[in-house]
Amino acid sequence: MFEIVITSNKDEKLLSQIHTCLGGTLSDTGGGSVLRFDNDVGKGVVRNISFDGGISLLDCDVTLSKEVTLLFKASDVSPIKFLFISEGTLNYSVGNAEEPIVFERFQNIIVSEERLAKKGYAYAASNRLKLNCIRISRKAYLKKKNNNVNTLDSKLRRVFTDTKGAKAYLLQGGYNLKIADEIKKLNEVPHKGMFSTLSIEGRVYLILALQLQEHDTFLTEGALPHSLSRQDIKKIHELTDFILTNISRPITVEVLANASGLSAKKLQLGFKMSYSKTVNGYVRELKLKLARDYLKNTDLSISEIVYAVGIKSRSYFSKIFFEAYGLLPTDYRKQLKLGKHTNTENQEP
């Protein structure tokens, strides 16, 4: 376990404290600071940019070779943090909690810790983490002209006006791909020049607005067209067993919608979030993997395998198998019988 201790929540000190513990190279980009490291802890980039009105951006793209904990022991009031993970997961704990809370990919997360509470974020070893964290210093933000805090819902309004950090707040909201798309665009903005600074600031405000909107819909049990609830995601994952059980049948979006009770739009969104594939793409990949296993481990004929995995014809099966693995099914089986090595086992269809 590698521990990074943070003793101040101030933006100008945050990245330098991480640099002290983690090593690497810390540089000024003109609009903020960037830490690059590549050592026995792992490798990656951490960036911090401050804007007017108490708003700042801390984001990272890191791959770790050991478990790392970011432990906050600051005496000053913690900022409100709007978190969004584009890749990986993050364990979070406060005080003496026995079990950490898992922050998941694509989930809208808002955190405000009680002052002086011991808190930490743990990153799993060997995992890539792409994290976007918009930090808001309450006192500075409340001085901002037209801050419109009074228009927020009562829970979040109390968080913004709690300038002494008297109470904690945690929201693990819905899963939202629109936010993920905007963060991707943010990360594609060049890091230098006035255009860069203005573009980054504009996108940070847009992402913050989307996270506030997602917060409201989550609490009112509404649904944005680009978001899913935790229950929706659970249903998506449960469909894996349904697909395997019914693999010999034609499995369409309509069939899965009826089985799960989700709309076709939510199904497509959920499969993209969970598996980075369309529904049909996921089903086809699963059928191909099972067919490959049948070719390797059974004496079933090609026609029998085609029937077993529910592919519409032998000719279509040969076509998509070749597209996925670079071999026709008959050639793949011949190579296996000759004892020749094939690399299809590690190859995604």
Side-chain angles (χ1 to χ4, degrees), residues 138-150:
R138 280 165 273 214
K139 284 186 177 181
Y141 188 80
L142 290 173
K143 293 178 182 178
K144 185 179 174 68
K145 187 178 180 180
N146 299 324
N147 60 61
N148 290 322
V149 166
N150 63 321

Side-chain angles (χ1 to χ4, degrees), residues 243-266:
I243 294 169
L244 284 170
T245 302
N246 297 276
I247 198 69
S248 62
R249 293 174 51 196
I251 301 174
T252 63
V253 172
E254 184 179 3
V255 167
L256 295 179
N258 290 334
S260 64
L262 297 173
S263 67
K265 183 175 287 187
K266 281 196 170 187

Side-chain angles (χ1 to χ4, degrees), residues 77 93 174 187 224 232 276 279 298 336:
V77 177
S93 62
N187 293 332
L224 292 172
D232 293 336
S276 299
V279 172
T298 74
L336 289 171

Side-chain angles (χ1 to χ4, degrees), residues 31-34 76 89 100 107 132 165 189 194 220 224 256 259 289 317 334:
S33 301
V34 176
D76 50 338
T89 59
Q107 188 176 32
N132 191 86
V189 175
M194 183 176 178
T220 58
L224 292 172
L256 295 179
K289 285 182 176 179
F317 171 61
K334 284 177 183 177

Side-chain angles (χ1 to χ4, degrees), residues 95-214:
N96 298 316
E98 293 183 4
E99 292 293 331
I101 298 167
V102 180
F103 292 161
E104 298 176 354
R105 188 185 186 199
F106 299 137
Q107 188 176 32
N108 186 45
I109 300 158
I110 303 175
V111 180
S112 176
E113 293 106 352
E114 185 179 349
R115 188 177 182 181
L116 302 179
K118 180 181 177 182
K119 55 267 185 185
Y121 298 87
Y123 305 77
S126 302
N127 285 347
R128 187 179 185 186
L129 178 71
K130 295 179 72 173
L131 170 70
N132 191 86
C133 177
I134 298 174
R135 294 157 41 96
I136 298 181
S137 174
R138 280 165 273 214
K139 284 186 177 181
Y141 188 80
L142 290 173
K143 293 178 182 178
K144 185 179 174 68
K145 187 178 180 180
N146 299 324
N147 60 61
N148 290 322
V149 166
N150 63 321
T151 65
L152 297 172
D153 74 273
S154 58
K155 288 185 178 181
L156 206 50
R157 186 165 63 247
R158 283 194 294 269
V159 174
F160 270 79
T161 56
D162 180 17
T163 56
K164 295 183 179 180
K167 292 186 177 180
Y169 182 75
L170 170 62
L171 175 103
Q172 289 181 271
Y175 298 77
N176 191 300
L177 271 186
K178 177 65 175 175
I179 298 173
D181 289 341
E182 291 302 329
I183 288 175
K184 183 179 179 181
K185 293 175 184 177
L186 169 67
N187 293 332
E188 291 171 351
V189 175
H191 290 182
K192 293 183 179 180
M194 183 176 178
F195 170 79
S196 169
T197 303
L198 292 173
S199 296
I200 290 172
E201 184 171 7
R203 292 208 173 274
V204 165
Y205 275 101
L206 176 58
I207 292 164
L208 178 59
L210 289 171
Q211 291 191 264
L212 288 169
Q213 183 185 25
E214 179 64 46

